Amino acid sequence: YALLLKGLYYLAYDNEADALETTTAFLLLFADANGYRPRLSRCAHCRTPLDLTNGAPFDVAAGGLCCPDCASRATYCMTLDAIKWMSETIRNGLTPQKNTGAGTLFDVLRRYVESRLETPIKVSKLLP
């Protein structure tokens, strides 16, 4: 509830907060609050430590980043900047998002949350 209130506060009263990027941060933190924190430092399949210098593939079904050996066809390429953004957002919580580039993660995190909740997020069709 507090996460939702904070997100709505930023969207309503912070003129510099980007709606799509704030929503992306909300999705990540919502998944984390419900016990579905995505794996960002170890492979979601084999649990080996990841070398993130060139980014890593994200597997929605497995629940996080994957090593090159375990990457399946159902993965999304994540850049190092996107991975750092997710780590910092989990560490710092919901803060006003001001054009950080995290909006590109929206589709991936929407699919991730939908797979964990086993229901579509209907309102996401209203966002670009």
Side-chain angles (χ1 to χ4, degrees):
Y1 181 71
L3 177 63
L4 177 62
L5 283 179
K6 193 172 186 180
L8 290 173
Y9 173 82
Y10 286 131
L11 292 174
Y13 298 111
D14 188 341
N15 294 334
E16 295 180 19
D18 183 76
L20 184 61
E21 294 181 15
T22 301
T23 306
T24 302
F26 174 83
L27 285 174
L28 178 62
L29 294 171
F30 179 75
D32 182 39
N34 284 292
Y36 298 115
R37 177 181 287 187
R39 284 192 183 270
L40 300 177
S41 61
R42 293 183 172 268
C43 178
H45 291 282
C46 66
R47 311 292 191 258
T48 58
L50 294 171
D51 176 21
L52 300 174
T53 52
N54 294 323
F58 188 93
D59 188 343
V60 170
L65 300 175
C66 300
C67 66
D69 296 332
C70 297
S72 69
R73 285 184 260 160
T75 59
Y76 298 90
C77 279
M78 301 298 253
T79 64
L80 179 59
D81 290 336
I83 296 167
K84 284 182 181 179
W85 180 87
M86 286 192 294
S87 295
E88 290 173 12
T89 300
I90 289 173
R91 188 177 325 109
N92 299 330
L94 188 63
T95 57
Q97 302 296 317
K98 296 180 175 91
N99 299 317
T100 61
T104 57
L105 292 172
F106 175 77
D107 188 49
V108 175
L109 290 173
R110 180 187 55 81
R111 290 174 193 264
Y112 179 68
V113 170
E114 286 177 342
S115 74
R116 296 306 182 248
L117 295 178
E118 297 177 352
T119 186
I121 301 172
K122 296 174 185 171
V123 76
S124 67
K125 294 176 182 147
L126 299 175
L127 295 171

